[in-house]
Amino acid sequence: MKALIPTGDPTEPVVLADVPEPAPRPHEALVKVEAFSVNRGETFKLEKPVPGERPGKDIAGLVVQPAADGSGPSGITRVVGHPMAGGWAEYVAVPTDALAVLPDGVSVLQGAALPLAGLTALRLLRVAGPVLGRRVLLTGASGGVGHYVTELAAAAGARITAVTRDAERGARLAELGAEVVHDVAAARGPYDVVLESTGGRALPLALARLAGRGTLVWFGQASRTPATLDFFDFFNGPESAVIRHFHYLDADSRLDDDLAALVRLTEQGRLHPEIGRVTDWADTATTLTDLRDRRIRGKAVLTLS
């Protein structure tokens, strides 16, 4: 079968190659991939690829071989999946606890745009706790996670402020219910919760806008610059605040349950995946470069002919 493999070359980070078809383990279903999405974080990993590892975590397609242990979807079933690797291929073996059925009301393109960004947003807001009437600051809101967090938080009754430098992106987030600022320094606190994904200079600025005993959830470092904090930053504002490191896979809920929740919200019209580019998977290398350089707003989805 054909699959995309890393090259280590930043100008052409992946190429199509012939690889063996996967042999599913008993708890895995074999999925014929119809579409997959790419994430900006994956572009960074491709700069120094792990030998033998094939990328791809967000896929949608058809189960063509159900799991041998009887778990997961049976028969030929439309699904969205979140394998840990190997999804940028014609076929991928996916653990059944990382699959959810796609109903007719949710397209393959929408399904492929959901997993990583949607799971991150859903689980971030669970960590934040009840947000009804609370003030929430979200930094680095330009990508898919920012879109999903804003839509879900606003729907849950949060007073959310989103930080993005992109004016067009900001207009879209405002439509979803956010107050938009173009620099974290312009955000007017105090905030009960800060969701911080930028690192560098943004983190201490965001912390300074946190209310006393508030919570800052640190879920990324998109600036690729370490942050520096001072003990005395916590005085005159966020006294006794909590800083919590977040990784989306460290959760009490199951991947399949959360994928199903995202699919259900999409089918009900309560979550709207924003897809900024749809193209054939032959264009993956160019798409990855454009995503890394922020030339794509929203999710980029690649389709397999």
Side-chain angles (χ1 to χ4, degrees):
M1 71 170 188
K2 295 289 187 183
L4 289 162
I5 61 171
T7 65
D9 180 355
T11 62
E12 190 178 17
V14 292
V15 294
L16 273 173
D18 291 305
V19 301
E21 189 172 304
R25 292 175 290 180
H27 67 290
E28 294 177 331
L30 185 65
V31 177
K32 184 180 188 298
V33 179
E34 295 184 333
F36 61 83
S37 69
V38 296
N39 300 284
R40 192 162 181 264
E42 289 171 311
T43 69
F44 302 148
K45 286 192 69 176
L46 289 171
E47 293 174 3
K48 296 180 179 179
V50 176
E53 186 173 279
R54 290 196 286 110
K57 292 187 173 186
D58 292 359
I59 64 102
L62 289 172
V63 169
V64 293
Q65 180 181 316
D69 67 1
S71 63
S74 60
I76 305 299
T77 307
R78 297 173 72 242
V79 291
V80 54
H82 190 55
M84 290 299 101
W88 300 353
E90 292 181 303
Y91 295 91
V92 61
V94 186
T96 54
D97 63 1
L99 284 174
V101 173
L102 272 183
D104 291 340
V106 180
S107 72
V108 168
L109 300 180
Q110 290 174 310
L114 284 173
L116 181 57
L119 289 166
T120 301
L122 187 67
R123 292 175 169 186
L124 265 175
L125 289 171
R126 287 190 183 137
V127 167
V131 295
L132 178 63
R134 301 177 78 197
R135 299 196 67 193
V136 178
L137 176 65
L138 172 66
T139 68
S142 297
V145 174
H147 175 97
Y148 290 137
V149 167
T150 298
E151 187 166 20
L152 291 172
R159 298 165 60 195
I160 185 161
T161 299
V163 182
T164 176
R165 296 182 184 277
D166 187 315
E168 185 175 335
R169 182 66 170 163
R172 176 59 179 147
L173 294 174
E175 290 174 2
L176 295 174
E179 176 189 3
V180 176
V181 295
H182 299 300
D183 191 288
V184 66
R188 299 185 302 275
Y191 295 94
D192 303 293
V193 178
V194 170
L195 306 176
E196 212 295 295
S197 66
T198 306
R201 62 176 288 274
L203 194 151
L205 288 172
L207 178 66
R209 284 147 181 79
L210 186 63
R213 299 190 178 182
T215 299
L216 184 148
V217 185
W218 191 5
F219 71 100
Q221 193 159 290
S223 69
R224 310 184 78 180
T225 305
T228 300
L229 293 177
D230 189 303
F231 175 80
F232 296 101
D233 290 341
F234 290 81
F235 292 97
N236 301 317
E239 279 195 337
S240 302
V242 172
I243 296 180
R244 172 167 175 169
H245 178 269
F246 172 90
H247 184 253
Y248 81 105
L249 289 178
D250 181 19
D252 296 328
S253 53
R254 289 167 52 105
L255 281 173
D256 53 355
D257 289 339
D258 285 350
L259 285 171
L262 294 167
V263 169
R264 184 169 60 252
L265 289 167
T266 303
E267 184 182 29
Q268 294 170 351
R270 298 164 63 189
L271 190 66
H272 301 84
E274 182 182 25
I275 300 173
R277 178 178 297 180
V278 177
T279 187
D280 187 86
W281 73 322
D283 299 326
T284 301
T286 300
T287 300
L288 286 166
T289 302
D290 288 346
L291 187 67
R292 181 196 64 203
D293 296 339
R294 298 191 181 279
R295 290 192 287 266
I296 299 174
R297 295 186 180 93
K299 298 292 292 182
V301 178
L302 291 303
T303 60
L304 281 67
S305 302

